[in-house]
Amino acid sequence: MYFAALLARTEDGWEASDTELDDVETLSDLADLAREASPDEDTVLVLIEQEDAWFGVVRVDGEDDPRIYVSDAAAAARSSYGEILLTDELLGRDPDDGDDLDALDLDGTEDGESDGDDESDDGDGAAGSAELVPHGPVGDAQILDDLGVTEKELRSMSADAVTEIAESLGASETLETVR
């Protein structure tokens, strides 16, 4: 079960809105959605959590590039919403790595023949890509420092992080209106 909300900082405090991420396919789509929540180019936080598995914070300040923090990249990688946040840049990958033909292992079995090792490796491709995603937090752990949530506090949050973040920002009542 997922929960996603937008918190927009305005002159009058924080405004919350729940959000559907079904039409969001990329980080750019998510940043555009956040910008639409604040016509005055104020700070907007996109808070996403999956029950007891991981949470993510995306911060959009006007037209600046979004800043991202994900509590557990490996857990998020198994989620369609997490995949939106786990960009190549965030994971320290070169986006061109997947297109390098020199890196392919063309050993003569590419026509559907088995080389014998694949029979015991169900889903080898998924395991190979999962190894590229680190277990634990990735991204900008100082994403909320200027809002009163330190890096140490953010890294120590777990199961109900979205509520903890909202409490730290003084926006817990506002967030509860959309939960």
Side-chain angles (χ1 to χ4, degrees):
M1 174 122 171
Y2 292 94
F3 174 72
L6 297 173
L7 281 179
R9 190 162 90 179
T10 67
E11 291 177 6
D12 300 327
W14 291 97
E15 291 182 8
S17 57
D18 61 344
T19 186
E20 279 294 322
L21 299 180
D22 294 342
D23 295 331
V24 174
E25 295 180 9
T26 66
L27 180 60
S28 180
D29 293 343
L30 187 61
D32 289 345
L33 183 69
R35 287 183 185 103
E36 289 172 13
S38 178
D40 296 330
E41 295 191 6
D42 292 317
T43 297
V44 179
L45 302 176
V46 181
L47 305 173
I48 303 171
E49 70 182 4
Q50 181 184 7
E51 276 183 3
D52 299 329
W54 66 275
F55 71 92
V57 179
V58 177
R59 179 176 177 161
V60 178
D61 293 301
E63 291 299 318
D64 292 347
D65 287 341
R67 295 167 55 195
I68 306 164
Y69 175 80
V70 176
S71 66
D72 186 338
R78 294 186 294 271
S79 151
S80 59
Y81 298 135
E83 288 178 349
I84 293 169
L85 304 182
L86 297 174
T87 63
D88 288 330
E89 181 181 343
L90 187 70
L91 297 173
R93 290 190 267 192
D94 182 358
D96 296 328
D97 282 350
D99 297 333
D100 188 3
L101 292 177
D102 295 333
L104 293 177
D105 181 17
L106 301 177
D107 62 359
T109 61
E110 51 277 350
D111 290 327
E113 301 170 22
S114 175
D115 64 2
D117 293 340
D118 290 342
E119 293 172 18
S120 63
D121 274 348
D122 290 340
D124 184 24
S129 63
E131 290 173 16
L132 300 175
V133 179
H135 290 274
V138 294
D140 184 355
Q142 297 175 346
I143 192 169
L144 301 174
D145 271 1
D146 65 323
L147 300 175
V149 181
T150 66
E151 177 178 352
K152 183 178 179 181
E153 290 169 328
L154 189 63
R155 288 185 184 270
S156 69
M157 292 180 182
S158 57
D160 202 14
V162 168
T163 300
E164 290 180 54
I165 290 169
E167 285 175 6
S168 296
L169 300 174
S172 57
E173 288 181 19
T174 303
L175 182 68
E176 285 306 311
T177 63
V178 297
R179 247 199 206 268

